[in-house]
Amino acid sequence: MQLTDPRFLTTIEPPNFVSRSLFWMRWITTAAVLLLVWLRPESGRAHVPPWVLILLFVAYNLFIDLLRMWLPWFRFVLWQATVDLVVISIIYSLQSEPGGPFFLLFFLTIVCAAATLPFWLSLLYTAIVTGTAGVIEFDFVDVTVESFQQYHLDTRLVFLALLGSGISVLLRGLRLQQQRVQAAREEVQHSTHLAEMRKEFVATISHDLRTPLTAARASLGLLSLSATHHLKQDESELLENARRNVEWLNLLIDDLLAYNQLETGTLHLECQPVDLVLVVHNALALVQPLLRQKQQVVALDLPATLPTEGDAQRLGQALVNILANAHHHTPSGTHITISATRMAQAIHLTIRDDGPGIAPVELETIFERFYRVSPTTRGSGLGLTIAKQIIELQGGQMWADSQPSIGASFHLSLPSGLNKGENFNDTQCSHC
């Protein structure tokens, strides 16, 4: 970067905290120099008393503070660093000996410059300050090895250079870290904003689709009941196909809404005593149009009742998603069995099919969101994810096992409603 590049000469506007820190540093350093001068009352060069030099620096600081108060846009930038160097060089050259109390002012101007100037410009400024201090000190004594050893000129200059460059490097690292943190914060805010827009969009679109879809389902149902005997074979098949697609759209909308609520943590479960057998029958009725399309047969092996506690609607949605998954991933003519076992502490429900099965490596990944066996597989990839989360929210568990070429089984374990001494309010349903 060239010196003529405007970015090189750009100075950093110090935040309020830095401005206040520099303000107090200047006055504390002034007080420290005053204390050292009071402890070592010596006359300066040209018979200038040290207290006069102190008053000169105090007056300069007051002028700078008043100037910044009257003109808010007047900040500590390159012009003040330059004036600082000139004023401090004059004061230091008028003291009585090299390395006196006023040498601290060189440290002050280097720290102030490093906090406000760009990195490379602050390094250049440190070199100029070090060189200026060295020239003034060479004017105090004869430049010999003995004089260097006596007055420690080399030590002071090296320490001055190391301090300035070290602070510049440290502050540059802090600024870069601040920029990275700011960029990460902006990215998180942008991602959060996009996520909120996505969730709002999904909720709005799903709600808007629900009304016409409900009307279409009702119309097709009435048409099927009243006109079935008057339609030709191909017309009946067309009507049935329309009903299947409407049911499929309804399942997709249910999944979108449920997933959106699960993501935002707003899914509300209305827990109450439930007969799981009734939930199974209701879920089966919803997917029957899909199952009939592929001549898939469902056999039930259930007891008379399966009392549990939970949200019947959400439990039905989970069962519908599992049955729809079996429908999509098994060929025509597949047999699906729904069986259950009631125990003292839990109810075990199993949905088993005799399809091609699931590969062992996929038994866990099938529950991940948007996972599909192949890109051509029909579905959103959310059905099993939503089903598993719904079951777990109601205090249950869901898992799968399979044997290739024999079939797949999905197991649900739900708290039993037979626990004595347990009332409905003590249920494990975490979102009720």
Side-chain angles (χ1 to χ4, degrees):
M1 184 181 293
Q2 302 296 326
L3 290 177
T4 55
D5 192 332
R7 292 175 296 171
F8 185 83
L9 298 177
T10 301
T11 52
I12 298 175
E13 180 75 17
N16 292 333
F17 172 77
V18 177
S19 298
R20 291 194 300 269
S21 300
L22 294 180
F23 169 82
W24 287 109
M25 182 180 295
R26 293 176 73 87
W27 285 107
I28 291 173
T29 304
T30 303
V33 173
L34 177 61
L35 178 62
L36 292 175
V37 168
W38 178 74
L39 293 175
R40 299 176 57 186
E42 300 179 4
S43 298
R45 303 176 72 182
H47 305 289
V48 179
W51 61 268
V52 174
L53 301 179
I54 287 292
L55 288 179
L56 175 62
F57 191 67
V58 169
Y60 169 66
N61 276 338
L62 287 174
F63 173 74
I64 292 298
D65 291 339
L66 291 175
L67 195 63
R68 295 176 62 183
M69 185 182 303
W70 292 336
L71 304 174
W73 51 271
F74 229 42
R75 293 290 183 260
F76 186 100
V77 285
L78 187 58
W79 70 268
Q80 187 176 346
T82 304
V83 177
D84 268 359
L85 180 58
V86 173
V87 172
I88 292 172
S89 298
I90 294 173
I91 293 175
Y92 185 65
S93 63
L94 292 176
Q95 72 172 2
S96 59
E97 61 179 1
F102 292 99
F103 191 80
L104 290 176
L105 300 181
F106 284 118
F107 292 109
L108 174 66
T109 186
I110 282 180
V111 171
C112 292
T116 55
L117 299 179
F119 174 65
W120 295 109
L121 194 57
S122 65
L123 289 181
L124 178 61
Y125 185 80
T126 298
I128 294 174
V129 171
T130 304
T132 303
V135 170
I136 296 174
E137 295 212 346
F138 290 158
D139 186 54
F140 278 105
V141 297
D142 294 331
V143 184
T144 62
V145 175
E146 290 76 10
S147 65
F148 268 79
Q149 294 176 347
Q150 179 181 357
Y151 294 103
H152 306 287
L153 302 183
D154 54 345
T155 303
R156 285 197 299 275
L157 295 180
V158 169
F159 185 70
L160 190 64
L162 290 177
L163 176 68
S165 58
I167 293 178
S168 298
V169 171
L170 176 62
L171 290 178
R172 181 172 185 261
L174 291 176
R175 288 165 184 158
L176 292 176
Q177 184 65 25
Q178 185 181 23
Q179 292 175 2
R180 287 193 290 267
V181 170
Q182 181 63 27
R185 183 184 295 112
E186 292 176 355
E187 183 178 353
V188 169
Q189 291 175 349
H190 180 66
S191 300
T192 302
H193 179 65
L194 290 179
E196 292 297 328
M197 290 180 61
R198 176 185 61 80
K199 293 170 184 175
E200 183 178 353
F201 173 78
V202 170
T204 302
I205 291 298
S206 300
H207 181 270
D208 291 343
L209 289 174
R210 179 76 69 186
T211 301
L213 185 63
T214 302
R217 290 178 66 192
S219 300
L220 289 173
L222 291 173
L223 183 61
S224 178
L225 290 175
S226 61
T228 301
H229 302 292
H230 305 285
L231 297 177
K232 299 178 181 179
Q233 180 66 26
D234 55 345
E235 293 174 340
S236 298
E237 292 177 357
L238 184 62
L239 178 60
E240 184 65 22
N241 185 56
R243 291 188 63 188
R244 283 195 301 268
N245 282 282
V246 166
E247 293 299 331
W248 173 240
L249 283 175
N250 186 63
L251 295 179
L252 288 178
I253 293 174
D254 286 342
D255 284 348
L256 285 175
L257 282 173
Y259 180 73
N260 199 49
Q261 292 171 335
L262 287 168
E263 284 284 283
T264 57
T266 58
L267 183 67
H268 179 68
L269 301 180
E270 298 181 357
C271 297
Q272 57 187 351
V274 174
D275 184 359
L276 197 57
V277 173
L278 183 60
V279 174
V280 170
H281 283 286
N282 292 336
L284 191 57
L286 290 175
V287 296
Q288 274 296 350
L290 300 177
L291 299 174
R292 282 198 299 267
Q293 179 188 10
K294 298 170 68 173
Q295 292 83 43
Q296 294 168 324
V297 180
V298 177
L300 299 179
D301 182 13
L302 303 173
T305 60
L306 287 172
T308 184
E309 294 169 340
D311 189 314
Q313 180 182 355
R314 295 302 180 182
L315 285 173
Q317 183 177 4
L319 292 175
V320 165
N321 286 353
I322 298 172
L323 290 170
N325 179 79
H327 161 73
H328 294 315
H329 298 289
T330 59
S332 299
T334 299
H335 287 77
I336 301 172
T337 303
I338 304 177
S339 59
T341 302
R342 184 171 60 186
M343 304 177 67
Q345 300 295 328
I347 294 175
H348 294 284
L349 186 71
T350 300
I351 301 176
R352 181 180 295 105
D353 64 67
D354 56 3
I358 304 171
V361 295
E362 295 179 338
L363 286 176
E364 291 298 328
T365 55
I366 58 174
F367 295 108
E368 297 178 359
R369 60 179 183 175
F370 306 119
Y371 177 81
R372 293 188 293 178
V373 177
S374 66
T376 58
T377 302
R378 189 181 183 188
S380 63
L382 293 174
L384 294 180
T385 303
I386 294 171
K388 183 177 176 63
Q389 292 189 41
I390 287 176
I391 296 301
E392 291 177 348
L393 284 176
Q394 302 191 73
Q397 294 180 327
M398 177 177 172
W399 69 96
D401 60 50
S402 176
Q403 296 182 8
S405 303
I406 295 179
S409 300
F410 287 87
H411 304 278
L412 280 65
S413 177
L414 291 167
S416 175
L418 296 179
N419 298 340
K420 296 181 179 180
E422 181 184 76
N423 56 44
F424 172 67
N425 294 328
D426 296 330
T427 180
Q428 302 179 49
C429 190
S430 59
H431 277 56
C432 296

